[in-house]
Amino acid sequence: MTDAAEKPQDARIKALLKGSVDLHIHSGPSLMPRKIDHVEAVRQADEAGFAAILLKDHYYPTMPLATILETHISKGVKVLGAIVLNNPLGSINPSAVDYALKQGARVVWMPTAHANNHLDHYKTDAKFDSKFPVATQKTLAPAPLSLLGPDGKISDEVKAILDLVAAADAVVSGGHHHVSELLPFYEEAKARGVKRLLLNHPTYVNECSLQDVRHLASLGVKMEHSICMFVPSTFLLFDADHLKAVIEAAGIENTLFGSDLGQNNNPTPVEGFEQIIAMLIDAGFSDAEIRSMTAGNAADLAGLTPAAN
């Protein structure tokens, strides 16, 4: 006999899982320890019925891999690539972005692990080291990066990158910079014609308040919350009350979830989506609202759905 108390919810989760879009998968190979590789990420997403996934690495662009995997491995899931502007890519490097976009990059991340704000957290937060994976090999000491020039305004290199992103109609994320840098960054992005604006885990290293989240959402910035920070994992930071608060602050229409998973000792990206869907059900969100936050909003942001007339 089946468990009548569990089966309806399990079936609901399985149904809601289909069509999901995960724009934040950390599969391997990588300098950081990974539980699954890119091939496994694609196969697992396919099996679960995901519509699309995006492969992200902090230190190398993933567009060529995405193209090969979608061509030769995928049975239906769309595989997207991205570039993250940390030191190995020449830091805040317009040329790297130009070439990446012309090879199909859908998301351009400003510096993450090498953002000055991220590196400052290592110095001031004793718990930060334990939350963020450490490279398996010793590398050159990172040069800290800022979105601002010596005059305290958005740098010319960042402006050039925003122009390239706007021309390609791609997505830009402010990376791991502090909210004090992100506010002028997104204002500049809007002014330069970027329409697809993303901020990942705003209340984590970026240190956005709920008021900041509301303000950025009013500018058109979509808030991606990292599933790994809400479900049992090495990154667990937030509870169900915080989940409801951040969704309310931005609005369901401006909220999406990315797994931010793939690391050792954590759920897989698909398992993470199952768990966040269960949390959203328990929090009282409807199926339509959950689909918006786990599929529709991300698909719209990445340009996977036809633009509205």
Side-chain angles (χ1 to χ4, degrees):
M1 294 181 64
T2 59
D3 187 336
E6 288 186 7
K7 188 174 180 181
Q9 172 118 326
D10 290 346
R12 185 179 175 190
I13 291 170
K14 186 175 181 180
L16 285 168
L17 201 60
K18 294 192 181 302
S20 292
V21 176
D22 187 353
L23 299 181
H24 203 150
I25 288 182
H26 283 297
S27 42
S30 173
L31 278 183
M32 295 175 176
R34 297 298 185 226
K35 183 174 189 174
I36 59 172
D37 63 27
H38 302 315
V39 172
E40 291 170 304
V42 172
R43 286 176 173 161
Q44 290 176 12
D46 253 332
E47 185 177 350
F50 276 47
I53 61 172
L54 185 142
L55 308 176
K56 177 183 179 184
D57 192 90
H58 291 287
Y59 307 122
Y60 63 82
T62 59
M63 306 81 60
L65 290 167
T67 299
I68 292 169
L69 290 164
E70 185 171 318
T71 302
H72 298 291
I73 300 296
S74 171
K75 295 180 180 178
V77 66
K78 187 160 187 63
V79 187
L80 307 175
I83 185 171
V84 185
L85 299 177
N86 288 317
N87 291 171
L89 275 296
S91 303
I92 299 175
N93 181 357
S95 180
V97 172
D98 182 34
Y99 278 74
L101 290 170
K102 287 169 180 168
Q103 293 180 80
R106 289 307 299 146
V107 179
V108 174
W109 266 278
M110 291 294 142
T112 55
H114 295 161
N116 51 4
N117 176 60
H118 182 107
L119 295 171
D120 283 346
H121 272 71
Y122 277 117
K123 301 173 188 174
T124 60
D125 184 353
K127 296 181 180 178
F128 192 73
D129 249 342
S130 65
K131 294 292 183 186
F132 197 82
V134 177
T136 55
Q137 299 182 54
K138 185 174 177 56
T139 57
L140 295 174
L145 302 171
S146 173
L147 302 176
L148 309 178
D151 60 358
K153 298 179 180 179
I154 298 297
S155 71
D156 289 342
E157 292 80 7
V158 171
K159 290 177 182 177
I161 287 168
L162 292 174
D163 288 342
L164 291 165
V165 172
D169 196 26
V171 181
V172 74
S173 167
H176 289 191
H177 293 278
H178 190 266
V179 63
S180 59
E181 292 190 49
L182 294 175
L183 292 171
F185 170 76
Y186 286 113
E187 288 169 356
E188 187 71 34
K190 277 199 74 173
R192 303 186 91 83
V194 181
K195 295 181 174 62
R196 303 182 189 277
L197 305 171
L198 172 65
L199 178 57
N200 316 94
H201 45 58
T203 54
Y204 173 50
V205 65
N206 310 103
E207 297 187 20
C208 290
S209 66
L210 293 179
Q211 183 177 350
D212 293 325
V213 169
R214 280 190 286 272
H215 175 66
L216 288 167
S218 75
L219 295 178
V221 183
K222 304 303 181 185
M223 300 291 151
E224 182 197 83
H225 300 292
S226 292
I227 291 172
C228 65
M229 298 177 188
F230 290 92
V231 305
S233 78
T234 59
F235 289 103
L236 179 59
L237 288 171
F238 304 127
D239 60 14
D241 288 339
H242 189 77
L243 177 71
K244 289 184 279 189
V246 291
I247 293 172
E248 182 181 4
I252 289 168
E253 69 278 9
N254 295 312
T255 298
L256 57 139
F257 288 91
S259 69
D260 205 351
L261 287 166
Q263 311 87 354
N264 284 351
N265 306 312
N266 282 337
T268 65
V270 170
E271 290 168 344
F273 262 75
E274 291 173 336
Q275 292 174 45
I276 200 67
I277 288 170
M279 282 189 72
L280 292 167
I281 290 171
D282 290 342
F285 291 98
S286 69
D287 285 10
E289 290 169 333
I290 294 170
R291 286 188 187 280
S292 291
M293 293 186 284
T294 59
N297 294 342
D300 290 345
L301 177 69
L304 302 180
T305 52
N309 293 327

